[in-house]
Amino acid sequence: MTQGRKDRFDVAVLGAGAAGMMCAAVAGQRGARVVLIDHATRLAEKIRISGGGRCNFTNLQAGPANYLSTNPHFCRSALARYTPQDFLGLLRRYDIGWHEKHRGQLFCNNNAEDIINLLRAECDAGGVRWQAGCTIDEIRKEGDDFLLLTKQGIVRAGAVVVATGGLSIPKIGATDFGYRIARQFGLKVVETRPALVPLTFDGQAWQPFVPLAGVSMEVDISTGSGKAAGVFKEDLLWTHRGLSGPAVLQISSYWRPGTPIEIDLFDGEDAVDWLIGHKKGGRKHLDNLLAERLPARLADAWCAAVGLQGTQSVADMPDKALRQLGEALNRWRLVPSGTEGYKKAEVTLGGVDTRGLSSSTMMTRDVDGLYFIGEVVDVTGWLGGYNFQWAWASAVAAGEAAADAARSGSA
């Protein structure tokens, strides 16, 4: 570590992603002296690559029901106090165009750089000090202050906000640093795993479906039961190694290893009645009939996978065989062998246990001045802008609280 002067800030924000920049801007504009530290030199990469480069920055429907946590009510306060409409107000101030794609998902008309530039400008308006490419070697609590020993010198701060994200997409700099800080100060960390991630299947069992790579269709998909159940209607995408697309990314947050997922390929219609209804008065081959409801490549592969000849006439098939086929189409049950892991996961499930945090300020209950926000916390949103809304909302809660504490002399 390079020895340097002991700069004293009211707030040190660790991590210059969505949550970190938002928090630093809010605290700075409320009068706090803020430093924003990140180990990367190219900041906000996750914003930059999100939404196909257009940043799905929020969702109009965002509410507690759209988030997973071992403490499901924790996110309610922050989400209620900073809503999607509040973020849209910020976009209007910067004249950033946006559009709704579907199901409340909002994207930039231009690209994700608009959001990054907005956050930079907001930080600059708050007089935030930037320290990019700065690695932190150690964090200590000394009296009322925190002492940060970094490669760029020693930093003192009355408060530390941890916005270091999770483990997803390590190639853009994801690390476990935030979890290590939490454990250092006595907080529990809920077991983490990849979420919003493609599912994979055993190579041999998946062979009949490998030729379907690239095929997409809307399905009903579910897994789990009771309060732990996930049920979605979204697009499903076949890949060489398994299944992806919004349907699978959504369900992956609910899936547990060794348990099945269930897919309705018939969009809620009774496939048995549909098949038997086409038995009379027609001589269509099975594969051609299925191709009226399914992508043709899927119809062919499905017949092969269930051991039926696609070229046989439906009229000649026994009702029993059609019932078995129809039931399988409505309730295709399959057990994934795993996921594509953190390298393909959009977010990390689990994280800093919210039972050790204040839901109104994000500050730890046992360590004054230590806050955790964004993805590092055990709050994980659905696909579709929900995780960005949690980043904004938790950041505003912590930024306001840390600045107010500094102004009152308690940070």
Side-chain angles (χ1 to χ4, degrees):
M1 184 196 74
T2 302
Q3 294 296 324
R5 68 186 181 90
K6 295 183 178 180
D7 287 327
R8 206 283 183 181
F9 294 87
D10 296 318
V11 183
V13 180
L14 313 185
M21 285 197 285
M22 186 70 158
C23 181
V26 168
Q29 291 182 34
R30 287 174 82 91
R33 188 164 184 253
V34 182
V35 61
L36 181 56
I37 304 172
D38 199 294
H39 68 101
T41 55
R42 184 172 168 83
L43 306 180
E45 275 295 275
K46 206 162 189 182
I47 296 178
R48 190 169 283 110
I49 66 175
S50 69
R54 290 196 172 184
C55 189
N56 181 192
F57 56 82
T58 192
N59 194 298
L60 292 173
Q61 301 171 8
N66 306 115
Y67 295 84
L68 289 79
S69 173
T70 54
N71 185 11
H73 297 294
F74 177 82
C75 63
R76 186 179 302 274
S77 175
L79 291 171
R81 288 161 54 203
Y82 193 85
T83 68
Q85 291 301 327
D86 290 318
F87 194 75
L88 287 177
L90 189 58
L91 265 62
R92 282 191 285 270
R93 280 175 44 202
Y94 284 83
D95 197 26
I96 294 174
W98 55 271
H99 60 277
E100 181 179 354
K101 192 171 182 181
H102 72 151
R103 295 189 175 97
Q105 300 172 17
L106 304 188
F107 292 78
C108 294
N109 287 346
N110 186 22
N111 59 51
E113 292 292 340
D114 286 345
I115 302 296
I116 297 172
N117 291 336
L118 176 156
L119 293 169
R120 284 183 179 276
E122 285 290 287
C123 284
D124 291 343
V128 174
R129 170 89 67 84
W130 296 85
Q131 288 191 202
C134 180
T135 302
I136 299 172
D137 295 323
E138 186 179 351
I139 300 177
R140 301 174 187 165
K141 189 81 160 70
E142 290 193 351
D144 293 333
D145 281 353
F146 292 87
L147 187 66
L148 283 66
L149 283 64
T150 84
K151 288 292 191 297
Q152 296 180 13
I154 300 172
V155 176
R156 280 191 179 274
V160 169
V161 181
V162 181
T164 51
L167 301 171
S168 54
I169 323 181
K171 69 179 181 180
I172 62 173
T175 74
D176 67 345
F177 187 53
Y179 309 133
R180 284 187 274 130
I181 296 173
R183 293 187 177 103
Q184 174 189 339
F185 287 97
L187 279 81
K188 294 181 179 179
V189 176
V190 176
E191 182 181 4
T192 59
R193 60 187 182 85
L196 302 185
V197 63
L199 298 175
T200 57
F201 295 84
D202 176 73
Q204 184 174 356
W206 195 247
Q207 281 305 307
F209 301 104
V210 170
L212 295 180
V215 171
S216 177
M217 64 180 292
E218 187 176 75
V219 301
D220 294 320
I221 188 168
S222 61
T223 192
S225 60
K227 291 183 179 180
V231 180
F232 295 92
K233 178 185 287 291
E234 291 276 9
D235 286 344
L236 180 72
L237 174 68
W238 274 261
T239 73
H240 288 98
R241 288 167 46 83
L243 295 172
S244 187
V248 166
L249 297 188
Q250 294 280 36
I251 213 68
S252 70
S253 296
Y254 293 83
W255 177 75
R256 295 293 183 271
T259 61
I261 61 173
E262 185 171 290
I263 301 172
D264 180 358
L265 297 169
F266 251 59
D267 196 25
E269 182 178 352
D270 190 313
V272 173
D273 288 348
W274 185 82
L275 287 166
I276 292 178
H278 281 80
K279 184 175 180 179
K280 297 180 180 179
R283 303 297 300 177
K284 288 185 178 179
H285 291 171
L286 178 60
D287 54 2
N288 291 333
L289 179 62
L290 289 177
E292 294 181 7
R293 292 297 304 269
L294 308 176
R297 286 162 59 192
L298 174 58
D300 292 339
W302 188 265
C303 290
V306 297
L308 294 174
Q309 292 293 326
T311 55
Q312 62 185 310
S313 171
V314 175
D316 296 334
M317 295 180 65
D319 286 357
K320 181 179 179 180
L322 291 176
R323 287 195 181 92
Q324 290 176 341
L325 175 59
E327 288 170 0
L329 289 166
N330 279 137
R331 288 176 292 278
W332 184 26
R333 289 173 60 87
L334 60 169
V335 180
S337 59
T339 77
E340 291 286 3
Y342 288 115
K343 65 181 179 181
K344 294 289 183 68
E346 295 197 12
V347 292
T348 303
L349 194 72
V352 177
D353 194 337
T354 59
R355 291 179 179 84
L357 306 177
S358 162
S359 62
S360 59
T361 68
M362 305 294 128
M363 189 174 79
T364 60
R365 298 187 183 280
D366 297 329
V367 184
D368 285 346
L370 181 62
Y371 302 75
F372 290 84
I373 61 175
E375 188 182 344
V376 74
V377 177
D378 176 32
V379 175
T380 304
W382 290 359
L383 182 74
Y386 297 100
N387 287 292
F388 274 122
Q389 186 57 36
W390 169 245
W392 315 136
S394 60
V396 169
E400 291 179 348
D404 292 348
R407 189 164 55 244
S408 67
S410 59

